[in-house]
Structure formats: structure tokens, C-alpha cells
Amino acid sequence: MAENIVTVVEIGSSKLSCVVAQKGVNGIFNIKARSQVEYAGFLEGDFIEHSLLEDAVRTLFADIQSVYKKKIQKIYVGVPSEFSKVITAKEQISFKFKRCVRKSDLDMLSAEASKDVTDDEMEILSINPIFFELDDSRKTNQPVGLKASKILAELSIILAQKSFIQTFNKIFTRIGIEQVEYLSEALCEAMLIIEKEERERTCIVIDVGARSTSIAFVKGDGLSSLTSFSMGGSYITSDLAEACEITYNDARNLKKQIVLSLRGGDNDFYELATLGGRVVKIPLSFANEVVMYRLKVIAETFNECIRLFAKEHVPYYPIYLCGAGVSKIRGGKDFFAKCIGRNVSYGLPPIPAMDKPENASLLGLVNAALEENT
């Protein structure tokens, strides 16, 4: 039997990441090679330095191939939310007599749903069930083998921009990759971090990256809605750099010291050893206020997205926080939760030694690729 080894690429808003991985025992992923490359990233659904994108991808794969010597023939690429959208469809089929539901019946429902897609600029990534409803209004996510005379499906259709796929197809062809399969980053992340039982009701996953934040409404095995906005952790860094009159790199180091739960007095400072060799004292309360201001803006935008995109009243639905933009700030999650007036949990990938919210997206892609490649 061939080794189940996959190569996965995550297109972050400020970094490209690649992992070559194999499923190990007890839920562990055996990482054969891993690399990360900073690049100009994307903003509002467009790459900032399009002409340099291929150079960044080539650097990423040169790093990977320096460790993983085997030829990589197929890769799985995550499509970020800024290049995606979700539509839902309801389809129904009836049988002449009551019988067991077959997988072919579900395939027929998906085929019918695909006909609802009329956007010439988008391409279907996947069609996933939110729920199936059988006779007597019985709802289930696993209808195959159950007896019914009819089946109604609410389906989630995830679309990706054709221009995104065409761009990366060209790049990967030029660097010698023979097969590329695209996966929804938001869906893969949600399926990994949220238990199946929990997904029977709507859950919300917010992933705050460097320059982009995505909000996925998750139900069943699909997404009922998906949106994003161009703001994230790098905005906090820029705010600190401007407000404290320090360089962006020094602001990065300052952000690592921030503890939002601290309430400093006039004589409380963060001491920052700058890259220029100086030690700068930054008033603790002032630096914290700068960070809290931006977190409030992200929280307000999140609440507005909930108002606009939620298909029903969602005051009690669980919220899972992923990405490094907020979760790596000490006290960031709790302050964010206070701003939105809701309980917030970390979205943790259930992978030993890698169970951190900033790993959720990449490991979600790895998990989906391994399941598909089994």
C-alpha cells in the first residue's frame, strides 16, 4: 500500500506555508517537512505584489525540497475566505416506494444543487450537507442506509474565484507540480476544530490572521455562510509602531510583551530592546490602550458581520477563535469576548503538541488532504 503522504499549501495574508505530512498513530501528524515564507500578501481579495507571488512560491518549494527529497506530484492548496463565497441550496428527490437511501441519491442532490451556480467568475470547490430531512421531518447528517420515500437536502456550496485558481495553476505548472487540488480553508478548519455533535447547531469560527479576518457560520458538514474583512494582527503592530514612534519590527517585539489584563500606573513601562541597540520605555497603559483600540474595531466589525450574514438569531451559538492575530496577544481573547459581549473559546486542533489556535487553519487543510488521500 502506498504511503499516505500529502503536501499542503496555505495562502496566508502575509505568509505562505507548506507542510509535507503523514498521519501517525494516536492522532499525531508526522511532519516530513515544513516551511514558511513571508510575502506581500493580499488585501480585499487581491494580491498586493502580484508580480512577486511566483518568486515567493518558488522560495517556499525550494525550502521544502531541500528537506523532503522526493518528487512532489500533487499538492492541496487552501483557498482563503477573501477569495471564496458560500451559497446554500435546497434540493429534494422522491422515490416510487420507501427504500434505503443510497450514496448515488446524495450525488444526485449535489448535482442538482450545482445547477444553481450562475456566477461565471467563481468555481465550485465543494458541496457539503448542512442537513438531510427524511419522511416525518426526521433530520440527519448520515442518511445512507436509512429507509425513506423522499429526501430533502440543505446543501452548502463553497465557491472560489476562478482568477485565484488560474493564478496558482500557472505558477505550480511552471514549477513542475502535476496535480493541484483546492480546498476551502474555512471549511477544513471548522471540520477539524469542532466536534460533529457540536455542529448539529450553528457554530461561528472567527479566524483573525495578519491582514484578513474570516467569519464562518458552520452547521452540519458545511458552511451556512462565510464572510471576511481586511483587518487583523498586523494592523495592531502598525498601530503600535505609529503611536509609540518605533519601527514595525520593534513593534512586533513590543506586541509580544503586551498583557492586556495589566492596569499600569504612571511608573509602569514595557522595556523594549530595539533593533538599533537602545532600550526604550513604553508606558504600559498607553501601549495597552493602542492594542485595545484596534481589537475594539475588529470586534465591532465582527458584530456587524454577524448582523448582516447570520441567517437566524445567534445569541447563544458557540464562537471559536482561531488564527494568530488575537490569540497570541496575552489577554486578547478575553478582551475580544468582552467587546463582542459573547463567550469565546479557542479553536484548538485536536493534534497532540500542535493544539494551538494559530495552527488550526493549516492543520485543518492537512487533515482534509489526508482524509481525501486515504
Side-chain angles (χ1 to χ4, degrees):
M1 192 172 112
E3 287 182 304
N4 185 14
I5 299 175
V6 296
T7 302
V8 169
V9 177
E10 179 186 27
I11 312 295
S13 57
S14 68
K15 295 175 183 175
L16 302 176
S17 302
C18 183
V19 166
V20 180
Q22 180 181 40
K23 188 166 280 187
V25 295
N26 300 323
I28 292 173
F29 290 162
N30 293 330
I31 305 298
K32 303 285 185 179
R34 184 171 187 173
S35 182
Q36 200 171 68
V37 171
E38 291 194 4
Y39 77 126
F42 58 80
L43 200 65
E44 296 178 359
D46 199 12
F47 289 98
I48 295 168
E49 293 181 351
H50 210 285
S51 60
L52 300 179
L53 183 57
E54 183 171 335
D55 289 343
V57 175
R58 285 183 178 276
T59 301
L60 184 72
F61 273 82
D63 288 350
I64 284 290
Q65 295 277 215
S66 69
V67 177
Y68 185 72
K69 303 296 185 180
K70 296 180 182 179
K71 179 173 172 57
I72 297 171
Q73 295 181 317
K74 180 175 181 176
I75 61 170
Y76 294 85
V77 179
V79 181
S81 297
E82 286 208 21
F83 300 91
S84 310
K85 78 174 183 180
V86 168
I87 60 175
T88 58
K90 284 188 176 180
E91 301 293 341
Q92 181 173 321
I93 53 175
S94 299
F95 312 130
K96 289 181 180 178
F97 50 87
K98 201 166 190 175
R99 65 165 173 84
C100 289
V101 176
R102 304 165 188 152
K103 184 181 180 299
S104 59
D105 298 323
L106 309 189
D107 293 340
M108 186 183 299
L109 289 164
S110 293
E112 286 299 312
S114 67
K115 295 176 183 176
D116 295 335
V117 178
T118 56
D119 193 331
D120 292 335
E121 295 182 355
M122 307 293 284
E123 185 173 310
I124 295 175
L125 279 185
S126 65
I127 300 177
N128 309 93
I130 294 172
F131 66 81
F132 296 101
E133 187 175 296
L134 307 180
D135 301 353
D136 305 321
S137 300
R138 287 180 295 150
K139 288 186 178 180
T140 179
N141 285 103
Q142 301 289 344
V144 174
L146 300 179
K147 285 193 172 183
S149 59
K150 65 177 181 180
I151 179 167
L152 169 73
E154 181 165 344
L155 300 169
S156 165
I157 306 170
I158 303 182
L159 307 168
Q161 284 182 15
K162 284 183 179 177
S163 58
F164 177 94
I165 290 173
Q166 289 164 355
T167 293
F168 282 98
N169 278 349
K170 288 176 184 175
I171 291 173
F172 291 125
T173 297
R174 285 197 284 263
I175 64 176
I177 304 294
E178 296 171 7
Q179 298 178 64
V180 185
E181 186 165 335
Y182 294 90
L183 303 170
S184 165
E185 187 179 291
L187 177 67
C188 294
E189 179 175 65
M191 293 302 105
L192 179 65
I193 66 169
I194 308 176
E195 294 285 345
K196 197 170 187 68
E197 295 74 23
E198 185 81 347
R199 299 197 309 268
E200 289 179 5
R201 59 173 177 162
T202 301
C203 301
I204 299 168
V205 176
I206 174 170
D207 188 308
V208 186
R211 296 194 185 96
S212 182
T213 294
S214 76
I215 302 164
F217 297 79
V218 186
K219 192 168 186 180
D221 292 331
L223 305 180
S224 59
S225 191
L226 178 68
T227 187
S228 61
F229 56 91
S230 291
M231 193 184 302
S234 68
Y235 284 64
I236 297 171
T237 312
S238 294
D239 289 347
L240 283 170
E242 185 177 349
C244 301
E245 298 181 337
I246 55 179
T247 67
Y248 186 85
N249 283 331
D250 285 338
R252 274 181 171 174
N253 291 329
L254 173 60
K255 191 165 73 170
K256 292 174 185 175
Q257 294 188 47
I258 297 291
V259 183
L260 292 182
S261 58
L262 295 178
R263 294 290 177 266
D266 293 340
N267 297 316
D268 293 310
F269 301 89
Y270 292 116
E271 289 194 355
L272 176 69
T274 70
L275 296 178
R278 296 180 300 124
V279 175
V280 178
K281 285 187 173 184
I282 309 288
L284 184 147
S285 292
F286 177 72
N288 281 10
E289 282 171 14
V290 172
V291 174
M292 289 189 286
Y293 164 77
R294 181 59 63 178
L295 285 176
K296 283 179 186 174
V297 175
I298 294 173
E300 287 167 2
T301 310
F302 169 80
N303 275 338
E304 183 64 11
C305 288
I306 294 291
R307 189 183 70 80
L308 291 173
F309 287 88
K311 297 190 174 181
E312 50 196 327
H313 193 45
V314 292
Y316 305 113
Y317 291 165
I319 297 175
Y320 294 91
L321 173 67
C322 300
V326 172
S327 66
K328 292 193 83 169
I329 298 170
R330 283 176 287 179
K333 175 181 76 74
D334 293 339
F335 183 77
F336 182 80
K338 182 181 175 184
C339 289
I340 65 173
R342 308 272 288 269
N343 290 328
V344 176
S345 303
Y346 283 127
L348 303 176
I351 310 299
M354 304 180 81
D355 53 345
K356 294 181 179 178
E358 61 265 31
N359 294 331
S361 176
L362 182 59
L363 294 183
L365 293 169
V366 170
N367 185 63
L370 286 167
E371 286 186 355
E372 192 161 315
N373 201 51
T374 301

